[in-house]
Amino acid sequence: MTSIGGAASSGMVDWNLAVATATRLMRPGPDVSRDEARAVVAELRRHAKASEEHVRGFTRLGTEETHDTPLLVVDRPGWVRANVAGFRELLKPLLDKMQERRGTSPGNAVLGAVGGKVTGVELGMLLSFLASRVLGQYETFAPATRELPAGANGAGRLLLVAPNIVHVERELDVEPHDFRLWVTLHEETHRTQFTAVPWLRDHLEGEIQSFLGETDVDPMTVLERVREAAQSLAGGRPEGEEGDEGRSLVELVQTPAQREILGRLTAVMSLLEGHADFVMDGVGPEVVPSVAEIREKFQQRRAKGASRLDMALRKLLGLDAKLRQYRDGERFVRAVVEEVGMDGFNRVWTSPNTLPTKAEIAKPADWITRVHRKPEA
């Protein structure tokens, strides 16, 4: 197995163990023959290529030359390896900071006992849960490796997880060719967003690093907050008691400054996810004959968890918030396009100052007033 970890911050997380754990624990993929698998991969590549033109034509964003990021059709272990590489890149400043404090921290003994291997196992367990659920992903922060090429100058890569797409199309009992194109339309929209708006990646990375920079890296404090999250998920609080029981792990480790940053990040992610859903619905009727059936069945699947454990993990990871982002963001995009047209909506991509706030996602008219109808001086 190719080594993913590095010397820096390796004491905090054993990245290779995370990959090994996730690979060992992940569910097996759907039963397909080798010829079927090759056919699925080839079709996904064709659909991704066709989706570029569909998305550009509908959104009026980007040109053929802006798509300099690779498309990778991967299996579940491939998705894990790609995401571990991305996590390591994004979290390196925070983990280095925590590593520096281990020597003098009161929690040093605890961290010494727990160690990077346990952290790697825990991360691997979470990734094994997610690896069977993700259909596709535009990996924004994607360092290039020998196995996983990425775009030039820090550009990302587009991942399509073939076994998961096959699994879901069978589970929903929908037309496979239509479903595969429908999925690639969504993911291609994300690639178009980042390749056609050059400042977006750096802006998002800056916000994330600011969020991580505000993290209280005292190990005992972090462990206590994780314990609070576990108690909340396990029902440790008396029924009906007001408090943090409805909050995700991400929310529980916030400082006041982080809450402000997270509000901005939530608005951006709602915009990106809602825009992709809007594009899927807009392009779909012309190129995906069974789009209405697919959309209805997929929304039902999105809205419910497969089990009690699934629901608990979704809450822990903040995935319930992601579902809200799809809905709220799509409503924002639809309302703005109906009022000012696609070109008017595309002013959202002008600069960080024209991105909607969290409040404006809920009230699109306020964004329109601010960006389109500023009173003359």
Side-chain angles (χ1 to χ4, degrees), residues 215-232:
T215 298
D216 185 345
V217 294
D218 175 70
M220 292 305 293
T221 301
V222 173
L223 288 174
E224 179 61 30
R225 289 178 177 176
V226 170
R227 193 173 301 117
E228 289 176 10
Q231 289 172 352
S232 296

Side-chain angles (χ1 to χ4, degrees), residues 168-176 179 290 293-294 297:
V168 173
E169 70 192 25
R170 291 178 178 179
E171 179 185 295
L172 299 181
D173 190 23
V174 293
E175 210 290 317
F179 184 74
S290 59
E293 177 191 2
I294 290 173
K297 290 183 175 180

Side-chain angles (χ1 to χ4, degrees), residues 24-181:
R24 185 175 68 253
L25 296 178
M26 68 179 56
R27 300 174 182 177
D31 185 18
V32 296
S33 69
R34 183 168 297 182
D35 287 343
E36 287 175 317
R38 288 198 188 102
V40 170
V41 170
E43 184 173 19
L44 288 173
R45 290 189 179 281
R46 290 196 303 271
H47 284 330
K49 184 64 178 176
S51 294
E52 293 181 22
E53 185 175 347
H54 293 315
V55 171
R56 283 200 307 269
F58 184 79
T59 64
R60 303 177 193 171
L61 287 175
T63 64
E64 189 171 353
E65 287 71 30
T66 61
H67 285 72
D68 63 346
T69 55
L71 164 70
L72 304 179
V73 181
V74 297
D75 57 9
R76 290 170 179 175
W79 179 86
V80 168
R81 287 193 296 272
N83 276 265
V84 165
F87 286 152
R88 177 173 174 259
E89 182 82 2
L90 197 60
L91 295 177
K92 185 177 183 301
L94 174 64
L95 295 179
D96 285 349
K97 188 177 178 182
M98 294 182 72
Q99 182 81 9
E100 290 174 4
R101 293 191 58 175
R102 280 185 63 173
T104 58
S105 167
N108 183 48
V110 176
L111 279 178
V114 175
K117 290 190 178 300
V118 173
T119 309
V121 168
E122 292 171 342
L123 176 60
M125 291 172 65
L126 292 177
L127 287 171
S128 72
F129 166 76
L130 293 171
S132 63
R133 286 158 173 78
V134 176
L135 302 182
Q137 172 185 358
Y138 181 75
E139 208 184 358
T140 315
F141 310 104
T145 68
R146 184 181 56 173
E147 295 179 339
L148 298 163
N153 301 318
R157 53 184 167 237
L158 180 61
L159 306 178
L160 295 173
V161 190
N164 295 350
I165 293 172
V166 172
H167 171 78
V168 173
E169 70 192 25
R170 291 178 178 179
E171 179 185 295
L172 299 181
D173 190 23
V174 293
E175 210 290 317
H177 305 293
D178 285 4
F179 184 74
R180 294 167 194 174
L181 177 55

Side-chain angles (χ1 to χ4, degrees), residues 173-232:
D173 190 23
V174 293
E175 210 290 317
H177 305 293
D178 285 4
F179 184 74
R180 294 167 194 174
L181 177 55
W182 188 73
V183 170
T184 59
L185 286 170
H186 182 99
E187 303 309 332
E188 180 57 41
T189 301
H190 287 317
R191 177 158 65 165
T192 297
Q193 290 163 347
F194 282 94
T195 55
V197 185
W199 55 265
L200 185 58
R201 179 192 181 278
D202 290 342
H203 172 72
L204 195 60
E205 182 177 22
E207 292 280 55
I208 292 171
Q209 291 302 334
S210 295
F211 181 90
L212 296 176
E214 289 288 338
T215 298
D216 185 345
V217 294
D218 175 70
M220 292 305 293
T221 301
V222 173
L223 288 174
E224 179 61 30
R225 289 178 177 176
V226 170
R227 193 173 301 117
E228 289 176 10
Q231 289 172 352
S232 296

